[in-house]
C-alpha cells in the first residue's frame, strides 16, 4: 500500500473504484439504473494515507466523495514505531456509522462501518489526537482494508 497519499487522494481513488463497481452492477442487472441503496459487491480495496499532526498533536481532515451507496466495512490501523503512542479521535461518515477512538495503540486494528449514499456525495471526517509531546513534526500513517 502506498502511504504517501493524502486523505483526500486516497478517498478519491476509493470513490472511483466504488463508482466503477456500481456501474458493473448496473450493467449486469441490465436495469439501466441503480436499483437499491447499500449495494454489496463482495470486494475489497486497500486504502493508505498520511495525516500531518499540528503542534498540539491534532489533525482534522474531511473529504466529500460519491461512493455509490456502498456500506464500507473497514479495518484500520495506524502504523508507528513508537509503542507508547496513544491515539484518540473519530472517523465518521455523513451518512452514519464510524467509530470513536480512545487510547488506541499503534498497529491495533479497529473495525467500523461507514454507510454511503446512493443519491449524493458522502462526507468522510477524520479527527485524531496524540499527546503533544509525541507529535512534534510527525505524520500518522493510516492503513485501511475496506470491504464493500
Amino acid at each position: 500500500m502506498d502511504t504517501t497519499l493524502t486523505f483526500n487522494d486516497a478517498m478519491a481513488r476509493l470513490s472511483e473504484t466504488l463508482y466503477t463497481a456500481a456501474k458493473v452492477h448496473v450493467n449486469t442487472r441490465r436495469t439501466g439504473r441503480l436499483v437499491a441503496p447499500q449495494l454489496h459487491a463482495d470486494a475489497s480495496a486497500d486504502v493508505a494515507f498520511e495525516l500531518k499532526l499540528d503542534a498540539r498533536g491534532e489533525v482534522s481532515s474531511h473529504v466529500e466523495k460519491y461512493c455509490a451507496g456502498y456500506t464500507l466495512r473497514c479495518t484500520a490501523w495506524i502504523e508507528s514505531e513508537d509503542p507508547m503512542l496513544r491515539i484518540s479521535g473519530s472517523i465518521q461518515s455523513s451518512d452514519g456509522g464510524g467509530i470513536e477512538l480512545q487510547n488506541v495503540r499503534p498497529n491495533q486494528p479497529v473495525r467500523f462501518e461507514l454507510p454511503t449514499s446512493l443519491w449524493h456525495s458522502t462526507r468522510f471526517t477524520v479527527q485524531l489526537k496524540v499527546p503533544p509531546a509525541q507529535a512534534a513534526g510527525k505524520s500518522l500513517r493510516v492503513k485501511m482494508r475496506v470491504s464493500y
Side-chain angles (χ1 to χ4, degrees):
M1 278 188 268
D2 180 10
T3 60
T4 60
L5 295 176
T6 65
F7 177 58
N8 195 328
D9 292 340
M11 293 306 289
R13 284 187 182 180
L14 180 61
S15 172
E16 291 169 14
T17 300
L18 296 170
Y19 185 67
T20 300
K23 288 193 304 188
V24 168
H25 179 77
V26 167
N27 289 336
T28 54
R29 300 264 325 206
R30 298 176 198 232
T31 62
R33 61 185 174 87
L34 296 177
V35 294
Q38 308 309 321
L39 295 176
H40 186 72
D42 287 325
S44 65
D46 292 328
V47 178
F49 53 91
E50 288 188 0
L51 297 166
K52 295 193 184 300
L53 296 167
D54 65 18
R56 296 181 318 253
E58 298 176 6
V59 63
S60 181
S61 188
H62 67 273
V63 62
E64 289 191 29
K65 294 295 175 189
Y66 179 70
C67 293
Y70 286 101
T71 294
L72 309 180
R73 293 176 311 282
C74 305
T75 300
W77 61 98
I78 296 170
E79 292 186 330
S80 176
E81 302 292 323
D82 182 356
M84 300 307 290
L85 186 69
R86 295 296 179 261
I87 303 112
S88 298
S90 65
I91 303 171
Q92 305 292 323
S93 157
S94 61
D95 292 295
I99 189 168
E100 294 290 326
L101 306 170
Q102 278 299 83
N103 295 315
V104 173
R105 295 181 311 278
N107 306 309
Q108 176 184 346
V110 293
R111 290 172 180 79
F112 53 95
E113 289 189 353
L114 297 171
T116 70
S117 175
L118 178 64
W119 310 112
H120 56 80
S121 293
T122 298
R123 182 181 180 108
F124 299 98
T125 304
V126 175
Q127 294 178 317
L128 300 176
K129 180 175 181 156
V130 302
Q134 295 176 317
K138 284 192 179 183
S139 292
L140 297 177
R141 294 184 311 270
V142 180
K143 292 192 176 182
M144 290 194 313
R145 166 59 54 106
V146 181
S147 300
Y148 54 93

